[in-house]
Amino acid sequence: WRGGRRREVQAVEAPAGGSLDSVACVSPSACTAVGSATTGSGDEMPLAESWDGRRWVANAAAVSGIGGSLGEVSCTAADFCMAVGGVFHGNNSNPAELMESWDGHHWQHLATPAGRVMTSVSCTSPTACVAVGSDSNDDFGVYSESWDGTTWAVQANGDDSTGDDVDAVSCTAPE
């Protein structure tokens, strides 16, 4: 029970073989969930859905026709979400980062400078996000990028060959 209302399990639009890995809500009628779906040929494709207070609706991710997944989403308003994940080439080798923004109607693929799979994102406004990830193909270096509303930029992280893996980030203010 919450606020006198019973919690209920809601059906999602995810196709068979699909899974949602992260959800962000800005109100009871505005949520976005991201993950991946497996196609009939066995390829993993980015998946996104939005909640309008009554039902989940599948949204086409901006990148289609390539393997990949969205692992985390952060929203600051019904018309702004940022999702991060990875794109896989060929036999799932050489993963590259996947970053997409949601304007309340469509996903837009964003150019990114690091080329690493990002595992987490946190936004405090449509002009202030931080994403973190690791280079799991090489030396597990730590990477982060900042979003200014227009472009992603690599942040200085000191020694990027720490041997560490980064899984989460949380921000409370733009700076």
Side-chain angles (χ1 to χ4, degrees):
W1 291 87
R2 180 176 178 225
R5 293 177 32 182
R6 191 176 90 212
R7 293 181 185 192
E8 298 177 18
V9 174
Q10 301 293 330
V12 296
E13 294 290 315
S19 67
L20 297 170
D21 298 319
S22 177
V23 64
C25 299
V26 296
S27 76
S29 61
C31 296
T32 300
V34 298
S36 63
T38 304
T39 66
S41 62
D43 295 327
E44 188 176 39
M45 304 301 289
L47 173 66
E49 298 196 14
S50 59
W51 172 255
D52 64 8
R54 295 182 319 272
R55 63 187 176 96
W56 286 98
V57 176
N59 308 117
V63 176
S64 62
I66 59 173
S69 67
L70 293 169
E72 186 153 330
V73 64
S74 178
C75 301
T76 61
D79 62 355
F80 180 78
C81 294
M82 188 69 69
V84 300
V87 174
F88 307 101
H89 304 285
N91 61 356
N92 286 339
S93 63
N94 301 319
E97 63 190 312
L98 172 60
M99 294 187 174
E100 297 194 8
S101 65
W102 172 251
D103 65 7
H105 302 287
H106 301 96
W107 286 99
Q108 176 184 358
H109 179 69
L110 302 170
T112 56
R116 306 297 197 271
V117 174
M118 293 299 178
T119 54
S120 184
V121 62
S122 180
C123 300
T124 57
S125 77
T127 60
C129 299
V130 173
V132 297
S134 303
D135 182 4
S136 59
N137 282 339
D138 198 352
D139 60 2
F140 288 96
V142 175
Y143 296 91
S144 65
E145 296 184 25
S146 59
W147 171 255
D148 64 7
T150 306
T151 59
W152 282 100
V154 175
Q155 293 181 318
N157 293 313
D159 181 9
D160 64 2
S161 61
T162 62
D164 295 325
D165 195 13
V166 178
D167 293 324
V169 63
S170 179
C171 302
T172 60
E175 303 215 11

Coordinates of all heavy atoms in Angstrom, one line a residue, residues 108-152:
Q108 N 16.6 10.2 -29.9 CA 17.6 10.7 -30.8 C 18.9 10.1 -30.4 O 19.3 10.1 -29.3 CB 17.7 12.2 -30.7 CG 18.8 12.8 -31.6 CD 18.9 14.3 -31.4 OE1 18.1 14.9 -30.7 NE2 19.9 14.9 -32.1
H109 N 19.6 9.5 -31.4 CA 21.0 9.0 -31.2 C 21.9 10.1 -31.0 O 21.9 11.1 -31.8 CB 21.4 8.1 -32.3 CG 22.7 7.5 -32.2 ND1 23.1 6.6 -31.2 CD2 23.9 7.8 -32.9 CE1 24.3 6.3 -31.3 NE2 24.9 7.0 -32.3
L110 N 22.8 10.1 -30.1 CA 23.8 11.2 -29.8 C 25.2 10.7 -30.1 O 25.6 9.6 -29.7 CB 23.7 11.6 -28.4 CG 22.3 12.1 -27.9 CD1 22.2 12.3 -26.4 CD2 21.9 13.4 -28.7
A111 N 26.0 11.6 -30.7 CA 27.4 11.3 -31.0 C 28.1 11.4 -29.6 O 27.8 12.2 -28.8 CB 27.9 12.3 -31.9
T112 N 29.1 10.5 -29.4 CA 29.8 10.4 -28.2 C 31.3 10.3 -28.4 O 31.7 9.6 -29.4 CB 29.3 9.2 -27.3 OG1 29.5 8.0 -28.1 CG2 27.9 9.4 -26.9
P113 N 32.1 10.9 -27.6 CA 33.6 10.9 -27.9 C 34.3 9.7 -27.3 O 35.4 9.4 -27.9 CB 34.0 12.2 -27.2 CG 33.1 12.4 -26.1 CD 31.7 11.9 -26.6
A114 N 33.9 9.1 -26.3 CA 34.8 8.1 -25.6 C 34.8 6.8 -26.3 O 35.8 6.1 -26.3 CB 34.3 7.9 -24.2
G115 N 33.7 6.3 -26.9 CA 33.7 5.0 -27.6 C 33.6 3.9 -26.6 O 34.0 2.8 -27.0
R116 N 33.3 4.1 -25.4 CA 33.2 3.0 -24.4 C 31.7 2.7 -24.0 O 30.9 3.6 -24.1 CB 33.9 3.4 -23.1 CG 35.4 3.9 -23.3 CD 36.2 2.7 -23.8 NE 37.6 3.0 -23.7 CZ 38.4 3.6 -24.5 NH1 37.9 4.1 -25.6 NH2 39.7 3.7 -24.3
V117 N 31.5 1.5 -23.6 CA 30.1 1.2 -23.1 C 29.9 1.9 -21.8 O 30.7 1.8 -20.9 CB 29.9 -0.3 -22.9 CG1 28.6 -0.6 -22.3 CG2 30.1 -1.0 -24.3
M118 N 28.8 2.7 -21.7 CA 28.5 3.5 -20.5 C 27.4 2.6 -19.7 O 26.5 2.1 -20.3 CB 28.0 4.8 -20.8 CG 29.0 5.7 -21.4 SD 30.4 6.0 -20.3 CE 31.5 7.0 -21.2
T119 N 27.7 2.5 -18.4 CA 26.8 1.7 -17.6 C 25.8 2.4 -16.8 O 24.8 1.9 -16.3 CB 27.7 0.8 -16.6 OG1 28.5 1.7 -15.9 CG2 28.5 -0.2 -17.4
S120 N 26.0 3.8 -16.6 CA 25.0 4.5 -15.8 C 25.0 6.0 -16.2 O 26.0 6.5 -16.7 CB 25.5 4.4 -14.3 OG 24.6 5.1 -13.5
V121 N 23.9 6.6 -16.0 CA 23.7 8.0 -16.3 C 22.9 8.7 -15.2 O 22.0 8.1 -14.7 CB 23.1 8.2 -17.7 CG1 21.7 7.6 -17.8 CG2 23.1 9.7 -18.1
S122 N 23.2 9.9 -14.9 CA 22.4 10.7 -14.0 C 22.3 12.1 -14.5 O 23.3 12.8 -14.9 CB 23.1 10.7 -12.6 OG 22.3 11.5 -11.7
C123 N 21.0 12.6 -14.6 CA 20.8 14.0 -15.1 C 20.1 14.8 -14.1 O 19.2 14.3 -13.3 CB 19.9 13.9 -16.4 SG 20.5 13.0 -17.7
T124 N 20.5 16.1 -13.9 CA 19.8 17.0 -13.0 C 19.0 18.0 -13.8 O 18.2 18.7 -13.2 CB 20.8 17.7 -12.2 OG1 21.8 18.4 -13.0 CG2 21.6 16.8 -11.2
S125 N 19.2 18.1 -15.1 CA 18.4 18.9 -16.0 C 18.7 18.5 -17.4 O 19.6 17.7 -17.7 CB 18.8 20.4 -15.8 OG 20.0 20.7 -16.5
P126 N 17.9 19.0 -18.4 CA 18.2 18.7 -19.8 C 19.5 19.1 -20.3 O 20.0 18.7 -21.4 CB 17.0 19.3 -20.6 CG 15.9 19.5 -19.6 CD 16.6 19.8 -18.3
T127 N 20.2 20.0 -19.5 CA 21.5 20.5 -19.9 C 22.6 20.0 -19.0 O 23.7 20.6 -19.0 CB 21.5 22.0 -20.0 OG1 21.2 22.6 -18.7 CG2 20.5 22.5 -21.1
A128 N 22.4 19.1 -18.1 CA 23.4 18.6 -17.2 C 23.2 17.1 -16.9 O 22.3 16.7 -16.1 CB 23.3 19.4 -15.9
C129 N 24.1 16.3 -17.5 CA 24.1 14.8 -17.2 C 25.5 14.4 -17.1 O 26.4 15.0 -17.7 CB 23.4 14.1 -18.4 SG 21.7 14.4 -18.7
V130 N 25.7 13.3 -16.4 CA 27.0 12.6 -16.3 C 26.7 11.2 -16.6 O 25.8 10.6 -16.0 CB 27.6 12.8 -14.9 CG1 28.9 12.0 -14.8 CG2 28.0 14.3 -14.7
A131 N 27.6 10.6 -17.4 CA 27.5 9.1 -17.7 C 28.9 8.5 -17.3 O 29.9 9.2 -17.5 CB 27.2 8.9 -19.1
V132 N 28.9 7.3 -16.8 CA 30.1 6.6 -16.4 C 30.1 5.2 -17.1 O 29.0 4.6 -17.4 CB 30.3 6.5 -14.9 CG1 30.4 7.8 -14.3 CG2 29.1 5.7 -14.3
G133 N 31.3 4.7 -17.2 CA 31.5 3.4 -17.8 C 32.9 2.9 -17.7 O 33.7 3.6 -17.1
S134 N 33.2 1.7 -18.2 CA 34.5 1.1 -18.2 C 34.8 0.5 -19.5 O 34.0 0.1 -20.3 CB 34.5 0.0 -17.1 OG 34.1 0.6 -15.9
D135 N 36.1 0.4 -19.7 CA 36.6 -0.3 -20.9 C 36.9 -1.7 -20.6 O 38.0 -2.1 -20.2 CB 37.9 0.4 -21.4 CG 38.5 -0.2 -22.6 OD1 37.8 -1.1 -23.2 OD2 39.5 0.3 -23.1
S136 N 35.9 -2.5 -20.7 CA 36.0 -3.9 -20.3 C 36.8 -4.8 -21.3 O 37.2 -5.9 -21.0 CB 34.6 -4.6 -20.1 OG 33.9 -4.5 -21.3
N137 N 37.1 -4.3 -22.5 CA 37.9 -5.0 -23.5 C 39.4 -4.9 -23.3 O 40.1 -5.6 -23.8 CB 37.6 -4.5 -24.9 CG 36.3 -5.0 -25.4 OD1 35.8 -6.0 -25.0 ND2 35.7 -4.3 -26.4
D138 N 39.8 -3.9 -22.5 CA 41.2 -3.6 -22.4 C 41.7 -3.8 -20.9 O 41.9 -4.8 -20.4 CB 41.5 -2.2 -22.9 CG 42.9 -2.0 -23.3 OD1 43.7 -2.9 -22.9 OD2 43.2 -1.0 -23.9
D139 N 41.7 -2.6 -20.2 CA 42.2 -2.7 -18.8 C 41.3 -2.2 -17.8 O 41.7 -1.9 -16.7 CB 43.5 -1.8 -18.8 CG 43.1 -0.3 -19.2 OD1 41.9 0.0 -19.4 OD2 44.0 0.5 -19.2
F140 N 40.0 -2.2 -18.1 CA 39.0 -1.8 -17.1 C 39.2 -0.4 -16.6 O 39.1 -0.1 -15.5 CB 38.8 -2.8 -15.9 CG 38.2 -4.1 -16.3 CD1 39.0 -5.2 -16.6 CD2 36.8 -4.2 -16.4 CE1 38.4 -6.4 -17.0 CE2 36.2 -5.4 -16.8 CZ 37.0 -6.5 -17.0
G141 N 39.6 0.5 -17.5 CA 39.8 1.9 -17.2 C 38.4 2.5 -16.9 O 37.4 2.1 -17.4
V142 N 38.4 3.6 -16.1 CA 37.2 4.3 -15.7 C 37.0 5.5 -16.6 O 37.9 6.2 -16.8 CB 37.2 4.7 -14.2 CG1 36.0 5.6 -13.9 CG2 37.4 3.5 -13.3
Y143 N 35.8 5.6 -17.2 CA 35.5 6.7 -18.1 C 34.2 7.5 -17.6 O 33.3 6.8 -17.1 CB 35.3 6.2 -19.5 CG 36.6 5.6 -20.0 CD1 36.8 4.2 -19.9 CD2 37.5 6.4 -20.6 CE1 38.0 3.7 -20.4 CE2 38.7 5.8 -21.1 CZ 38.9 4.5 -21.0 OH 40.1 3.9 -21.4
S144 N 34.2 8.8 -17.8 CA 33.0 9.5 -17.6 C 32.9 10.6 -18.6 O 33.9 11.1 -19.2 CB 32.9 10.1 -16.2 OG 34.0 11.1 -16.0
E145 N 31.6 11.0 -18.9 CA 31.4 12.0 -19.9 C 30.3 12.9 -19.3 O 29.5 12.5 -18.5 CB 30.8 11.4 -21.2 CG 31.8 10.6 -21.9 CD 31.3 10.1 -23.2 OE1 30.5 10.7 -23.8 OE2 31.8 9.0 -23.7
S146 N 30.3 14.2 -19.7 CA 29.3 15.2 -19.3 C 28.5 15.7 -20.5 O 29.1 15.8 -21.6 CB 30.0 16.3 -18.5 OG 30.9 17.0 -19.4
W147 N 27.2 16.0 -20.2 CA 26.3 16.5 -21.3 C 26.0 17.9 -20.9 O 25.6 18.2 -19.8 CB 25.1 15.6 -21.3 CG 24.0 16.1 -22.1 CD1 22.8 16.6 -21.7 CD2 23.8 16.0 -23.6 NE1 22.0 16.9 -22.8 CE2 22.6 16.6 -23.9 CE3 24.7 15.5 -24.6 CZ2 22.2 16.6 -25.2 CZ3 24.3 15.6 -25.9 CH2 23.0 16.2 -26.2
D148 N 26.1 18.8 -21.9 CA 25.8 20.2 -21.7 C 24.5 20.6 -22.4 O 24.2 21.8 -22.4 CB 26.9 21.1 -22.1 CG 27.2 21.0 -23.6 OD1 26.4 20.4 -24.4 OD2 28.2 21.6 -24.0
G149 N 23.7 19.7 -22.8 CA 22.5 20.0 -23.6 C 22.6 20.0 -25.1 O 21.7 19.9 -25.8
T150 N 23.9 19.9 -25.5 CA 24.2 19.9 -26.9 C 25.1 18.7 -27.3 O 24.9 18.0 -28.3 CB 24.9 21.2 -27.4 OG1 24.0 22.3 -27.0 CG2 25.0 21.2 -28.9
T151 N 26.2 18.5 -26.5 CA 27.2 17.5 -26.8 C 27.7 16.8 -25.6 O 27.6 17.3 -24.5 CB 28.4 18.1 -27.5 OG1 29.0 19.1 -26.6 CG2 28.1 18.7 -28.8
W152 N 28.2 15.6 -25.8 CA 28.9 14.8 -24.7 C 30.3 15.2 -24.8 O 30.9 15.3 -25.9 CB 28.7 13.3 -24.9 CG 27.3 12.9 -24.5 CD1 26.3 12.6 -25.2 CD2 26.9 12.6 -23.1 NE1 25.2 12.2 -24.5 CE2 25.6 12.2 -23.2 CE3 27.5 12.7 -21.9 CZ2 24.9 11.8 -22.0 CZ3 26.8 12.3 -20.7 CH2 25.5 11.9 -20.8

